[in-house]
Amino acid sequence: GQIILNYPDKASAIDTAMIQDEESGRIFLLVTHFPSGYGFPQAKTGSGYKEIDGQRYLQLFDSNNKEYTVREEGKVYDSNGNITEYKLDEDKNLYKNGEKVDNVLTRTSPLKVMGTSYLSLIHSDDDGKTWSKPIDLNKDVKSDWMRFLGTGPGRGHQIKNGKYAGRLVFPIYLTNSSGFQSSGAIYSDDNGKTWEIGETATDGRDMGNGQIGNAQTQTS
């Protein structure tokens, strides 16, 4: 067997979906993951990112729930926009003054990511022998009103014909702050470099009683 994802301190992963881009041969694997101590029932409402000057940056929180953001080169800034002694690497290891102190996915880290769901994407260019490091798609596809956003497990699809030929599509499902669940899809039109989220099956749907569905505000 081969371990292709390995999160620290029981940070979990569920519900994989795979697709192969027939144009490039690249295989994509999408998975839902949570920091240690969290899962579907505990997921907090939010994307785990904060927008500053049009850019979305990963949020970190200390034990007093004070907010920090991870910016260029992994440098960690406090809520006043001042650079701190902390830095984050691509594996989410946390460093203080150049010394590794923990990983922000663990229970023990002095700074932690938001306790919510994250969509991670990895890829292989050699038919699954080796895999890339995970890329967090929450930055691009999860809105702050969503509580859970996860993979519809199974497989993705590549559109073969028509206006959207070549588009890569993965099924997803999500909940809002009330816990109402909707299904939808994320998609890429540039061979998996960037991803967007489409409308859900709830949006615009006739829910009866004169009510039109809205994934963000629906309660029943």
Side-chain angles (χ1 to χ4, degrees):
Q2 180 188 7
I3 297 173
I4 60 174
L5 280 169
N6 189 14
Y7 296 111
D9 187 29
K10 297 181 182 175
S12 58
I14 60 168
D15 291 351
T16 57
M18 296 181 76
I19 189 174
Q20 184 166 25
D21 183 351
E22 291 186 4
E23 295 175 4
S24 67
R26 176 168 285 184
I27 298 169
F28 293 95
L29 184 145
L30 186 68
V31 66
T32 315
H33 94 88
F34 303 89
S36 183
Y38 290 87
F40 181 91
Q42 299 88 7
K44 296 179 181 179
T45 300
S47 64
Y49 284 79
K50 173 151 189 181
E51 188 164 319
I52 301 170
D53 298 330
Q55 295 283 331
R56 294 186 92 195
Y57 298 109
L58 182 70
Q59 293 170 299
L60 299 175
F61 299 90
D62 66 15
S63 57
N64 297 314
N65 212 34
K66 187 178 176 185
E67 181 193 64
Y68 298 77
T69 49
V70 183
R71 306 196 197 177
E72 291 76 15
E73 300 174 352
K75 294 172 183 174
V76 177
Y77 287 70
D78 66 20
S79 57
N80 296 318
N82 300 312
I83 195 165
T84 70
E85 64 270 37
Y86 289 105
K87 200 169 180 181
L88 204 67
D89 71 13
E90 58 184 354
D91 294 315
K92 292 192 166 60
N93 292 313
L94 183 68
Y95 295 81
K96 185 175 183 180
N97 296 320
E99 300 263 328
K100 182 183 171 184
V101 290
D102 213 317
N103 184 291
V104 295
L105 298 178
T106 70
R107 298 170 191 255
T108 52
S109 183
L111 302 181
K112 301 179 180 69
V113 296
M114 177 184 281
T116 192
S117 65
Y118 294 85
L119 272 183
S120 279
L121 186 74
I122 61 174
H123 67 261
S124 173
D125 291 320
D126 54 13
D127 291 327
K129 293 186 187 71
T130 59
W131 292 84
S132 69
K133 290 184 183 295
I135 295 170
D136 183 11
L137 296 189
N138 272 27
K139 181 180 178 181
D140 301 314
V141 302
K142 192 177 186 190
S143 298
D144 289 330
W145 59 264
M146 297 175 186
R147 181 184 290 177
F148 172 83
L149 173 63
T151 314
R155 55 167 296 176
H157 176 72
Q158 186 166 33
I159 295 174
K160 300 289 193 295
N161 303 300
K163 182 179 177 182
Y164 300 110
R167 174 175 284 186
L168 300 170
V169 182
F170 274 117
I172 56 91
Y173 67 112
L174 58 90
T175 62
N176 61 20
S177 58
S178 299
F180 184 86
Q181 189 168 305
S182 300
S183 59
I186 63 169
Y187 62 92
S188 173
D189 288 319
D190 55 11
N191 301 100
K193 293 184 187 71
T194 61
W195 294 83
E196 295 182 56
I197 189 167
E199 284 193 347
T200 73
T202 303
D203 293 299
R205 178 180 167 195
D206 183 356
M207 306 296 285
N209 304 320
Q211 193 180 29
I212 300 300
N214 183 304
Q216 180 174 351
T217 59
Q218 206 73 30
T219 57
S220 61

